[in-house]
Amino acid sequence: MPLSYFIEQPFQNWTHSSADLMGTVMLYVDYSVPLEQVRQKLREVVEANPRWDRKVAVVQMTDLPNAMVELRLLVSARNAGVLWDLRCDVREAMVTWLVREYPGSLPRRRLEMAGMPERAGPGGAFVAAGEMAAEPHR
């Protein structure tokens, strides 16, 4: 931006009083994710991490893209370098926890098969057309 912009427009330098920063970790999960447990786990993860400045640790559901849930985990640290490491630590810990404790909460693709009528198979059982058991040769 040209220098004239800063001369003509008022602005506030937030780092003048503090260089504390906030950063995000985005998680994409299934609708079944237990949101309150995610919040509790984030708090547990940051409290055990010496990089966290003990100010901000928040989980927000920010969007519903492509049949999944977007979670924004907001954390804070004293400077940009420490914040980068904290974000990496949090992302790794949260994904590891989800894989172990709530694997059904990981993103999945849903597919609905349309145009495949069900029909009676051998013995009268209904099966999808693609799953028809081979009938004995007559």
Side-chain angles (χ1 to χ4, degrees):
M1 296 189 129
L3 182 59
S4 61
Y5 175 83
F6 293 103
I7 293 171
E8 296 169 3
Q9 301 293 325
F11 69 93
Q12 182 176 3
N13 182 352
W14 289 3
T15 61
H16 180 71
S17 59
S18 172
D20 294 352
L21 297 174
M22 290 187 290
T24 60
V25 172
M26 303 304 287
L27 294 179
Y28 296 91
V29 294
D30 188 72
Y31 290 114
S32 64
V33 69
L35 200 51
E36 194 52 43
Q37 283 82 351
V38 172
R39 288 186 173 108
Q40 290 171 5
K41 186 61 179 179
L42 175 63
R43 178 59 66 170
E44 182 183 310
V45 166
V46 294
E47 286 179 353
N49 194 311
R51 294 179 172 107
W52 184 51
D53 66 4
R54 309 191 72 72
K55 293 181 181 174
V56 177
V58 177
V59 175
Q60 300 168 315
M61 185 183 298
T62 54
D63 201 0
L64 303 170
N66 301 320
M68 67 180 89
V69 172
E70 179 183 82
L71 296 181
R72 175 181 179 238
L73 285 59
L74 185 64
V75 295
S76 59
R78 69 180 178 274
N79 64 48
V82 172
L83 181 60
W84 173 263
D85 292 337
L86 176 61
R87 289 172 55 214
C88 292
D89 292 348
V90 167
R91 185 178 301 108
E92 181 178 330
M94 296 302 290
V95 169
T96 300
W97 173 74
L98 283 169
V99 167
R100 186 180 65 247
E101 300 295 327
Y102 297 98
S105 293
L106 298 172
R108 31 180 141 165
R109 300 232 185 253
R110 289 179 168 79
L111 178 66
E112 181 177 329
M113 300 295 287
M116 291 190 64
E118 294 181 350
R119 59 179 226 190
F126 281 91
V127 295
E131 299 176 30
M132 182 60 75
E135 295 185 28
H137 182 65
R138 295 182 203 184

